[in-house]
Amino acid sequence: MPRNMSFMLTTEQVKNRTKTVTRRLGWWNLKPGEIVNACVKCQGLKRGEKIEKIATIRIVSVRYEPLIAITPSDVVLEGFSDWTPSQFVEMFTEHNKCDPLTLVNRIE
């Protein structure tokens, strides 16, 4: 059974299929070929709330890199076509309480 991966901050990008890459602080054991359920929210559900599945994802590649290494083309693949890499890094560090040099898992 596939694991659930939350896309709470990028639900619309996943629904619109403009997001094909995600960066995570975790998921270190994920391998190419694995299947994952993209969900709106996976944890912190209130009583009566259910997991809302957005899509089924097949992992193509996984690699580790510093967050600051994100390229303009990868910002587009993250679903933010009108953002710069520095805007993406700022958003990511704010929401994940990390710094730009943090090693992240780039998942495609």
Side-chain angles (χ1 to χ4, degrees):
M1 183 162 184
R3 293 185 287 168
N4 295 326
M5 183 182 283
S6 174
F7 288 88
M8 191 171 77
L9 298 175
T10 56
T11 300
E12 288 309 309
Q13 289 92 330
V14 175
K15 284 181 179 179
N16 297 338
R17 303 288 195 247
T18 58
K19 181 176 182 73
T20 59
V21 169
T22 189
R23 280 166 172 72
R24 301 291 165 138
L25 301 176
W27 292 83
W28 304 114
N29 296 322
L30 198 61
K31 305 275 187 266
E34 285 189 59
I35 304 294
V36 175
N37 290 324
C39 301
V40 173
K41 186 175 164 184
C42 299
Q43 296 180 338
L45 298 171
K46 293 180 176 68
R47 178 174 286 205
E49 284 185 313
K50 294 190 182 341
I51 291 177
E52 181 184 339
K53 183 178 163 186
I54 306 168
T56 301
I57 299 169
R58 180 177 303 276
I59 306 306
V60 175
S61 69
V62 179
R63 72 173 184 248
Y64 313 135
E65 63 185 26
L67 177 59
I68 196 78
I70 190 167
T71 63
S73 61
D74 252 17
V75 174
V76 173
L77 295 177
E78 286 274 4
F80 298 96
S81 60
D82 56 342
W83 284 23
T84 65
S86 60
Q87 287 173 304
F88 181 86
V89 168
E90 182 179 340
M91 179 274 298
F92 190 97
T93 57
E94 183 178 316
H95 285 284
N96 291 283
K97 308 292 187 251
C98 63
D99 66 70
L101 296 176
T102 300
L103 192 66
V104 294
N105 192 358
R106 181 195 179 274
I107 303 166
E108 184 171 3

